[in-house]
Structure formats: C-alpha cells, structure tokens
Amino acid sequence: MMMYKSIRKRLHSLLIFTMVLSVIGSGGILGHAPTAQAVDVWKPIDTEPMIVTGSALDLSGMNDAPAG
C-alpha cells in the first residue's frame, strides 16, 4: 500500500508539472507565444528542371502522346 501511494504522488506531481509547462508554452503566463514568419522559414528554390533534352536522364520520350 505504501508503494501505491508513492507512485500516485509521483504521477500527481508529473501531471501538475506537465500542465504548468503546457500553460507556459501556449503563452498563457508569458503573454504570447512567438510565431515564425514565412520570411524566416521559407527559402526560394529554383523549380526549373535541370535535365538537358536528349541526355541520358531525359525521360520525356517515355511520355504518352497528348489525348485528342
């Protein structure tokens, strides 16, 4: 019975600790949570294909002809 109370006390403490962390993390105590801007996260990339027509990597010859 004593071991059950010890485990229950530890679980209770862990539950309170996680609840406090979730409130702090969601901005409840600190005011607001910082948000990332698209300028900070997204980087432009070149989407043009870099495969030379007629090279070994050019698989356009395997495409079906247009329908119609």
Side-chain angles (χ1 to χ4, degrees):
M1 189 69 173
M2 186 66 161
M3 189 169 106
Y4 174 73
K5 286 183 180 182
S6 174
I7 293 173
R8 185 175 176 187
K9 184 177 179 180
R10 287 183 186 188
L11 285 175
H12 185 75
S13 299
L14 180 63
L15 177 64
I16 291 174
F17 179 71
T18 48
M19 287 173 51
V20 167
L21 281 181
S22 67
V23 168
I24 291 173
S26 66
I29 293 177
L30 299 178
H32 70 281
T35 56
Q37 299 297 318
V39 176
D40 300 333
V41 179
W42 297 100
K43 305 292 183 206
I45 60 168
D46 183 21
T47 58
E48 293 297 318
M50 298 187 308
I51 298 172
V52 178
T53 305
S55 69
L57 295 176
D58 182 25
L59 301 177
S60 62
M62 298 177 73
N63 291 341
D64 292 331

